[in-house]
Amino acid sequence: MENASGVAQLILQLRGGANIRGPQNYAHSVEHGIRLGDVAAELGPDLAALTALYPDGVARFWGSTPTNQMNNYKARALRDRRVGDDVLFYADTAFFARARILHLLHNPAAAKRIWGTDDDGRTWEHMMALGDVERLERPVPAAPILRRLGLSVPLRSLTLATAADYATIQPLLAAAGVTPREPTFTAPRKMTRKRLFKALKRVVDACHGQDVDPSARRLPLTVLWNIGQIASADGHPAEPQHLRSDLESILQRYDATDSRPGDAELSGKLRDSGLWEIASSSELWEVDRSGLHGRQRSDRRAMDADVPLIGFASAVTALLGDPETQGRAVAVLSPALPVDIDKAAFLADVGLAGYDSASGVLDAEEVAGSEAGDQGPARRKTVQIERIVRSSAVAEEVKRLHGHRCQICDTRLATRFGFYSEAAHIKGLGRPHVGSDQIDNVLCLCPNHHVQFDAFAIFIDSDLVVRWAVSGEKIGKLRLHPKHPIGVDNLQHHRRFCGKAD
Ligand SMILES: [Zn+2]
């Protein structure tokens, strides 16, 4: 049986004696099960994922009290166990039942509600949600197995056997009649660019049609915010403190469906954003529900241990580290943004300024004489300034070769002082494109086609056919000049920002 990290590990789980209500607790929360509706308030953000795992609404739980040790058997088991691992329950020198981990959660409130507290006031807050629970026909004597694993007899603590150790005791288990079961949990498939865009397309589709859940409309905003975090952090995922302040303020500013002022708790806010529901059903997201994992990674996160962390899955973050993939994602998601928001301002606010224009954004200091403090989004100002900056020798050469005729429509615009055309960089000079000012990166266009090319309304396919970005319909063919080569990589870059796959 496999899990996300490879092969299953084995958790050796003490049930505990009557002194700590072990048998009663096992019968109550594992065999009988807990109705999710009875602990809905305590489960909070975990409720959605658990509801998906237990369609009949009855979940099987077991829990562990916290440990102060950093590196004993219990601490390591709590830290390293994974969804998909197998569990053997132990009592009275034998293993008597087995199960599989479906979900891990750190939730003192739910644990207290289910099991109460022990004599020291602690509760079994490090919780496993279990599947495939099965009482063994004959209890398996534990001593030979524990010895094979190099453990003391009897078992004294929650213990994790690595996948390799698990393999060494399989023959002993098989001899006792405990044979491996077919996995019910399928390992996630490898994330590819194709799968990423399928998942993004589902985000867009969820925003269309009648009776759209308001939370679905917030998702494109949230996804784009996450992409902006990656774009502005050179591939590093968002830090949780940004999640607290920035996303919340973005949703407040741009999400008209949210009528409440910002008094809601963050976790509720994010829950309303649709993230929790989507996280349990979409491979885009990764949820860290474990306080232990948080403590390992950074102290800051430990303070938020009760607020599960959520973000792009690491494979998604890796794919989106590439600016062309970011650009294509922005193009795919943009139509799903609320119609009444200023998309350029929104993209600038989430760190994606320039992603909606082929020329991109130049830093203010690169543009001599640019003035700060104008009204309106900065992006529009810089695009205009760039038109002026562009009058390079390369641009003049391209316009001269084509005699100022548009390479798309052949228009030659007459003015009183001669013909007028514009040099369009295919891969813009500004961020995020950072193209070069070379002849194979420049087109000679009329102002109309320049605007449409710059705004990703039209693109040029690999056969040099000019097409509408939305419909793919043919507009014409790009006219070439023998002394004016066109960089196919540059055209491909532009296509990706139009949302095209190749
Ligand atoms: Zn034209």
Side-chain angles (χ1 to χ4, degrees):
M1 126 103 248
E2 297 206 340
N3 65 11
S5 59
V7 187
Q9 311 173 101
L10 177 65
I11 305 297
L12 306 179
Q13 175 68 62
L14 293 169
R15 184 203 59 192
N19 57 327
I20 58 163
R21 304 194 300 273
Q24 295 95 314
N25 283 343
Y26 184 87
H28 171 55
S29 67
V30 179
E31 285 190 323
H32 182 256
I34 303 295
R35 288 177 48 85
L36 287 172
D38 295 343
V39 280
E42 288 82 3
L43 287 172
D46 285 305
L47 181 61
L50 290 164
T51 304
L53 288 169
Y54 301 100
D56 62 352
V58 179
R60 321 276 157 176
F61 288 120
W62 193 251
S64 299
T65 52
T67 171
N68 296 323
Q69 302 292 313
M70 290 301 288
N71 208 28
N72 61 6
Y73 283 116
K74 182 174 182 178
R76 268 177 275 148
L78 289 176
R79 188 182 64 217
D80 295 338
R81 66 187 179 181
R82 297 279 178 266
V83 168
D85 287 346
D86 288 337
V87 180
L88 280 177
F89 278 93
Y90 174 98
D92 306 324
T93 73
F95 295 111
F96 68 95
R98 63 172 166 172
R100 181 167 289 148
I101 300 177
L102 299 183
H103 188 74
L104 289 165
L105 56 159
H106 177 226
N107 191 326
K112 254 182 216 160
R113 184 74 197 274
I114 295 168
W115 299 294
T117 52
D118 68 9
D119 292 343
D120 301 323
R122 301 177 308 174
T123 189
W124 292 266
E125 60 197 59
H126 293 291
M127 296 170 62
M128 302 184 284
L130 300 170
D132 297 335
V133 178
E134 178 191 356
R135 191 174 271 270
L136 302 176
E137 271 182 47
R138 281 172 292 127
V140 177
I145 290 171
L146 295 175
R147 278 195 212 100
R148 178 70 64 88
L149 291 172
L151 299 168
S152 60
V153 181
L155 183 66
R156 295 183 201 283
S157 149
L158 177 75
T159 301
L160 177 145
T162 64
D165 285 344
Y166 190 11
T168 68
I169 60 164
Q170 288 286 6
L172 291 175
L173 289 170
V178 181
T179 51
R181 293 180 294 192
E182 285 299 305
T184 53
F185 175 90
T186 45
R189 282 183 291 167
K190 192 176 178 311
M191 177 52 85
T192 61
R193 206 164 261 102
K194 196 174 172 188
R195 294 171 61 78
L196 168 65
F197 280 96
K198 268 192 179 167
L200 292 177
K201 189 71 182 12
R202 280 196 291 275
V203 170
V204 176
D205 291 344
C207 299
H208 292 310
Q210 316 259 313
D211 304 329
V212 174
D213 186 328
S215 67
R217 282 200 221 102
R218 291 179 197 133
L219 255 181
L221 298 165
T222 305
V223 173
L224 284 166
W225 178 83
N226 270 279
I227 294 173
Q229 291 291 307
I230 297 171
S232 37
D234 289 328
H236 296 293
E239 281 291 316
Q241 73 272 24
H242 294 148
L243 209 72
R244 291 194 86 92
S245 53
D246 295 0
L247 178 56
E248 188 172 13
S249 77
I250 289 287
L251 288 176
Q252 270 169 24
R253 218 171 320 157
Y254 290 101
D255 177 25
T257 62
D258 186 2
S259 53
R260 289 166 304 164
D263 58 356
E265 284 293 306
L266 172 83
S267 55
K269 192 89 184 168
L270 283 179
R271 188 156 60 239
D272 290 349
S273 78
L275 274 174
W276 301 119
E277 286 76 4
I278 294 292
S280 55
S281 64
S282 167
E283 55 196 344
L284 286 179
W285 306 102
E286 217 159 57
V287 182
D288 182 355
R289 295 176 169 85
S290 152
L292 271 179
H293 292 178
R295 218 157 295 147
Q296 259 193 324
R297 282 183 207 159
S298 87
D299 293 329
R300 252 195 325 269
R301 289 189 178 195
M303 298 191 300
D304 297 334
D306 289 339
V307 180
L309 301 173
I310 186 163
F312 277 156
S314 49
V316 170
T317 301
L319 285 172
L320 283 167
D322 161 43
E324 287 188 6
T325 309
Q326 294 163 9
R328 196 179 141 207
V330 171
V332 166
L333 290 162
S334 289
L337 288 173
V339 285
D340 51 347
I341 72 167
D342 181 334
K343 290 187 186 181
F346 169 74
L347 289 177
D349 275 354
V350 298
L352 293 170
Y355 280 70
D356 58 345
S357 100
S359 41
V361 175
L362 290 176
D363 288 327
E365 57 266 30
E366 294 172 34
V367 184
S370 72
E371 288 171 35
D374 284 7
Q375 277 134 1
R379 184 198 63 90
R380 287 179 190 156
K381 192 175 58 192
T382 46
V383 169
Q384 283 174 359
I385 290 164
E386 205 195 346
R387 292 255 171 92
I388 301 160
V389 170
R390 255 183 209 166
S391 308
S392 64
V394 168
E396 290 310 314
E397 171 68 3
V398 170
K399 292 197 264 187
R400 192 191 61 77
L401 284 173
H402 289 278
H404 294 288
R405 278 188 197 281
C406 175
Q407 285 182 260
I408 293 175
C409 67
D410 258 356
T411 294
R412 186 152 81 145
L413 209 59
T415 74
R416 198 178 150 198
F417 306 102
F419 293 109
Y420 178 84
S421 63
E422 296 186 351
H425 281 90
I426 302 168
K427 186 173 178 178
L429 302 181
R431 283 177 288 109
H433 314 294
V434 211
S436 61
D437 192 21
Q438 289 176 343
I439 195 162
D440 70 347
N441 189 33
V442 175
L443 296 173
C444 176
L445 298 179
C446 70
N448 284 354
H449 280 126
H450 187 187
V451 167
Q452 289 183 320
F453 187 82
D454 207 43
F456 300 124
I458 59 177
F459 70 93
I460 299 161
D461 74 14
S462 52
D463 296 323
L464 300 179
V465 174
V466 185
R467 297 181 181 279
W468 293 109
V470 171
S471 65
E473 219 174 303
K474 179 176 174 174
I475 298 168
K477 181 127 190 187
L478 192 74
R479 186 174 42 72
L480 300 178
H481 186 283
K483 288 188 180 162
H484 177 205
I486 306 285
V488 289
D489 289 354
N490 297 328
L491 289 177
Q492 190 183 50
H493 175 90
H494 181 270
R495 282 200 294 277
R496 295 226 168 103
F497 277 77
C498 289
K500 302 299 158 190
D502 74 317

